Amino acid sequence: MSEHYTLRCRECNRDWGNRPGSICEDCLAPLEVKYDLDAARASFTRENIARRPASLWRYAELLPIPAGYRPEIPVGMTPLVSSARLGAQIGSRRLYIKNDAVNFPTLSFKDRVVAVALTQAKAFGFQTVSCSSTGNLANAVAAQAARQGFDAWIFIPADLEPAKILGTQVFGARLVRIAGNYDQVNRLCSQIGERFHWGFVNINLRPYYAEGSKTVGYEIAEQLGWHLPDNIVVPMAGGSLITKIHKAFQELIALGIVESKTVRFFGAQATGCSPISRAVKNGKDEIDPQKPSTIARSLAIGNPADGLYASRAIRTSGGWSEDVSDEEIVAGMELLATSEGIFGETAAGVTVGCAKALIAQGRIQTDEETVLCVTGNGLKTTDALAGRYPLEDAIEPRLAAFEKFIGQTMAVSAVS
Ligand SMILES: *Cc1c(COP(=O)(O)O)cnc(C)c1O
Ligand SMILES: [Zn+2]
């Protein structure tokens, strides 16, 4: 193999080359992609990166992209927006939102992981790509498979949000609903992966998939003018995203592109599915699996594959983890929308709710630079807001009718 990256065991450090698989056959620990950072140093510079297209492919030296691969889909480079109005509401004077609710093409950060996983699906000769999903991954695999000519088979818990189901089917993917929760779907997919020669982006392509998450970290650093924030709040499902943003910052430090600094990592979960947050609060890395029950479906993974590494990254960084109730999730979605004009999904409500709690606890300080990761779009989870904004009766298309209407509205708001 002449690639600039290779799979390496996270625990015993054995190299495995590049091939489908996510577990070390010697010690059963997870595999991770390693790079020759010294080889990357010459071309991975601020100046070179600035000249490249505005997508995650601009970080090619630190992504597992086979030589000669031509990216077709401009994923990533989502806005990092200064969020003074939300900051004023929750007590931060230097708050930013990294807004992956507008990622291309399917409006969540999962577009990143799929873009990277499919480079390897092609390299390994898979014609069919697949995944187990809590929704957003399903959308991203279906869309990018269509664009790149793969067949797609998608496995989901039967009771996902309708918009996430429709937003998979529209791309022509084969959708299999499973009468069970995500952890059961995922177990089934591991068995299917052994029987069929399919590329499961989050199972046998998982080490490559996970590298896509790093680009959230590279973009935040670049968009802050190549420096690192003090704190970052990240929603957690399997725990991969938070672990990989951590890896991204460490790679940038190792390459000397940003100053050496310990960024505090804060994990966010729904209380109804909070195995990682529980572990952090109990001061340990081991995860006790849970049976999920929360409106934050995209985060409802009771047995998180990267929970151990997520909890370790949080604890060693000096950060913490919080979790919030379904009511607080809805309140967080509304607060984000009314203060910043950003409609994030339930996971965004989790992030905002947890950030608010962490600031109130003094774990995040008012004057520190803090980035919140908004990872998915609220138009996919409108069910969470069902019934909250009752429609008033339609009025006649006449000025007099509106004058009467506004008179009543004002009278009502004067009373309330
Ligand atoms: C999948 C997902 C996450 C978290 O992903 P992990 O890497 O599994 O922790 C966060 N937010 C949204 C909206 C997601 O779909
Ligand atoms: Zn090993």
Side-chain angles (χ1 to χ4, degrees):
M1 280 283 175
S2 60
E3 306 293 0
H4 63 287
Y5 55 90
T6 183
L7 294 181
R8 181 172 298 170
C9 175
R10 292 194 68 137
E11 298 300 336
C12 76
N13 284 327
R14 177 164 173 194
D15 282 342
W16 290 97
N18 287 301
R19 54 184 190 156
S22 65
I23 289 182
C24 174
E25 287 167 21
D26 285 352
C27 75
L28 303 183
L31 302 177
E32 164 171 69
V33 179
K34 284 286 176 201
Y35 303 85
D36 182 349
L37 286 188
D38 287 326
R41 206 176 291 273
S43 60
F44 194 84
T45 64
R46 295 180 183 190
E47 296 70 28
N48 282 349
I49 292 166
R51 282 195 289 268
R52 297 175 182 171
S55 72
L56 57 72
W57 305 113
R58 69 207 265 116
Y59 309 109
E61 287 91 341
L62 298 185
L63 293 175
I65 304 174
Y69 182 86
R70 293 193 150 273
E72 294 178 3
I73 309 179
V75 179
M77 205 39 101
T78 57
L80 179 77
V81 289
S82 173
S83 304
R85 287 174 55 89
L86 176 61
Q89 300 261 352
I90 65 177
S92 169
R93 272 199 279 273
R94 290 164 71 204
L95 192 70
Y96 290 87
I97 289 171
K98 178 60 172 167
N99 187 7
D100 263 20
V102 292
N103 213 340
F104 181 81
T106 66
L107 308 177
S108 88
F109 104 90
K110 292 297 199 307
D111 288 321
R112 300 175 183 273
V113 291
V114 171
V116 174
L118 293 192
T119 69
Q120 299 301 317
K122 192 164 270 182
F124 296 146
F126 290 117
Q127 177 51 38
T128 298
V129 293
S130 188
C131 66
S132 54
S133 174
T134 57
N136 285 314
L137 186 61
N139 299 168
V141 170
Q144 295 189 45
R147 175 71 172 80
Q148 299 197 52
F150 291 102
D151 298 326
W153 280 79
I154 311 290
F155 298 82
I156 56 167
D159 63 349
L160 274 196
E161 297 95 335
K164 285 180 178 165
I165 292 177
L166 186 143
T168 302
Q169 294 172 311
V170 70
F171 300 113
R174 294 296 306 269
L175 185 76
V176 186
R177 293 166 65 232
I178 309 291
N181 63 30
Y182 173 82
D183 299 288
Q184 295 169 308
V185 176
N186 197 51
R187 210 169 307 131
L188 170 65
C189 284
S190 298
Q191 295 171 327
I192 296 172
E194 282 167 21
R195 179 76 63 85
F196 295 79
H197 183 68
W198 290 356
F200 278 83
V201 299
N202 58 334
I203 302 175
N204 58 7
L205 298 172
R206 188 174 182 83
Y208 301 104
Y209 151 108
E211 293 296 289
S213 293
K214 292 192 311 184
T215 59
V216 176
Y218 300 146
E219 289 177 17
I220 290 170
E222 185 177 2
Q223 289 169 318
L224 287 174
W226 290 116
H227 91 105
L228 301 179
D230 298 312
N231 309 303
I232 184 164
V233 186
V234 185
M236 304 184 295
S240 176
L241 175 61
I242 193 167
T243 311
K244 294 298 166 172
I245 296 176
H246 186 259
K247 183 183 181 196
F249 289 168
Q250 293 197 316
E251 287 171 342
L252 294 179
I253 292 169
L255 287 171
I257 296 216
V258 296
E259 79 280 21
S260 180
K261 171 173 181 177
T262 304
V263 179
R264 282 180 294 275
F265 278 75
F266 294 89
Q269 293 205 293
T271 305
C273 182
S274 48
I276 307 177
S277 141
R278 275 281 87 76
V280 170
K281 287 178 172 178
N282 291 335
K284 52 181 203 166
D285 290 336
E286 289 72 34
I287 304 294
D288 287 331
Q290 288 180 5
K291 199 152 178 265
S293 169
T294 170
I295 58 169
R297 308 297 250 292
S298 59
L299 305 181
I301 298 184
N303 190 10
D306 294 294
L308 173 92
Y309 297 102
S311 133
R312 200 176 282 170
I314 291 167
R315 281 154 28 81
T316 58
S317 76
W320 193 246
S321 186
E322 254 314 334
D323 49 86
V324 287
S325 69
D326 284 358
E327 292 73 31
E328 291 169 301
I329 292 169
V330 170
M333 292 170 75
E334 289 184 331
L335 183 55
L336 179 62
T338 54
S339 63
E340 295 295 336
I342 293 173
F343 189 13
E345 69 149 75
T346 44
V350 169
T351 301
V352 170
C354 288
K356 186 178 170 186
L358 290 160
I359 293 167
Q361 293 161 11
R363 295 185 187 275
I364 292 177
Q365 302 284 322
T366 301
D367 286 319
E368 294 169 347
E369 196 166 63
T370 300
V371 175
L372 309 188
C373 293
V374 167
T375 49
N377 195 297
L379 291 172
K380 297 192 197 183
T381 63
T382 53
D383 341 35
L385 304 174
R388 289 186 73 78
Y389 320 112
L391 290 180
E392 294 170 84
D393 290 337
I395 63 170
E396 293 302 316
R398 294 206 187 81
L399 182 58
F402 179 64
E403 284 172 342
K404 184 173 165 214
F405 181 86
I406 197 172
Q408 287 167 350
T409 307
M410 293 307 195
V412 168
S413 49
V415 173
S416 58

